[in-house]
Amino acid sequence: MGRKAGQSYISQRMFHAAEVVGFDNFIPPFATAKGPKILKGVNDGSGVAGIRDETGYRWGDRISMNRQLLNRQVTILRITSLLGNNVTAAKSLLNKCLYTVDMGNNDYLNNYLQPKVYPSSLLYAPEKFADVLAQQFSRQLKVICTLNGCGARKVAVSDIGLLGCLPEETRVFGRNASGCVDFINNYVHLFNDKLKPLIDDLNINVSCF
């Protein structure tokens, strides 16, 4: 990650699209970010990936949040090497970075809401799944703040949007009077309601949000 942004989760395909349409400033993905470029930012993102490792597996290989954290460790080592193995300089640079984290959507869209593929909805009631997901996310966010002694000091975390209003979900499940799939949005609210106190707790005890 670099000075402007870091864990911005867009797919490799979106990166190439940005390049093709002529955007001058975009963050290269981990797979292709080499040399001094990484001092300006690295995108660790992956399409259909989630907080949970199994999320999105039906679509083939993808980089889960846990794997993204491993890639982040590699990037930190590369940055340290570029700065002459000066850990203090690397820490100073990384402390200036803004990390943006947008995860959780796929844990519903490409996991919980597909019971024929994933067992999560059979194992967990909606409230319990939101709780398990939030707990795992909390542990992952703490890792971001402590990686290699050069953890983040500025982290922006997005909540999950109204997934029940997505065209694909209304096509599959039909619309309620709201125009959306209400039960899906209710699932999302369960997670988002847990996310705010989670972030509040991290602000107090980790001081990087």
Side-chain angles (χ1 to χ4, degrees):
M1 273 164 223
R3 297 174 185 270
K4 293 184 179 180
Q7 222 127 346
S8 175
Y9 297 114
I10 61 175
S11 68
Q12 181 96 354
R13 183 176 296 177
M14 291 176 67
F15 163 76
H16 288 304
E19 188 175 28
V20 168
V21 298
F23 284 111
D24 293 328
N25 295 309
F26 50 81
I27 301 170
F30 173 83
T32 60
K34 307 295 181 183
K37 288 183 178 180
I38 68 174
L39 299 177
K40 297 182 179 180
V42 175
N43 174 9
D44 293 310
S46 173
V48 305
I51 294 167
R52 295 179 64 83
D53 289 338
E54 77 273 14
T55 291
Y57 80 82
R58 68 174 297 192
W59 300 111
D61 191 28
R62 68 270 169 264
I63 307 171
S64 68
M65 181 68 166
N66 284 329
R67 287 177 62 193
Q68 290 175 32
L69 291 173
L70 292 175
N71 288 345
R72 177 97 313 254
Q73 293 184 55
V74 172
T75 297
I76 290 173
L77 292 174
R78 289 174 176 172
I79 288 173
T80 304
S81 177
L82 283 169
L83 297 177
N85 292 318
N86 187 327
V87 175
T88 301
K91 187 172 183 178
S92 177
L93 172 67
L94 290 162
N95 283 348
K96 297 174 183 176
C97 296
L98 170 64
Y99 291 61
T100 63
V101 184
D102 182 8
M103 296 294 278
N105 296 277
N106 285 312
D107 293 289
Y108 285 95
L109 295 175
N110 291 291
N111 189 333
Y112 196 73
L113 293 171
Q114 297 188 25
K116 293 182 179 180
V117 182
Y118 306 93
S120 53
S121 63
L122 304 176
L123 297 173
Y124 304 109
E127 176 76 29
K128 183 61 177 178
F129 183 72
D131 189 50
V132 169
L133 197 62
Q135 289 179 15
Q136 184 171 355
F137 197 31
S138 176
R139 292 192 294 270
Q140 292 166 337
L141 292 173
K142 288 177 182 176
V143 170
I144 293 174
C145 296
T146 58
L147 277 171
N148 293 35
C150 296
R153 290 296 172 266
K154 300 176 182 178
V155 180
V157 180
S158 301
D159 61 8
I160 300 178
L162 295 177
L163 303 180
C165 298
L166 294 175
E168 178 62 14
E169 304 312 306
T170 59
R171 182 188 67 81
V172 172
F173 297 102
R175 298 176 185 269
N176 294 111
S178 64
C180 300
V181 186
D182 289 346
F183 82 87
I184 294 179
N185 286 340
N186 290 338
Y187 291 174
V188 168
H189 285 309
L190 290 173
F191 176 80
N192 287 342
D193 286 346
K194 296 177 185 300
L195 184 61
K196 185 180 186 305
L198 181 159
I199 297 299
D200 289 342
D201 178 69
L202 290 171
N203 266 318
I204 295 170
N205 296 306
V206 183
S207 300
C208 101
F209 292 84

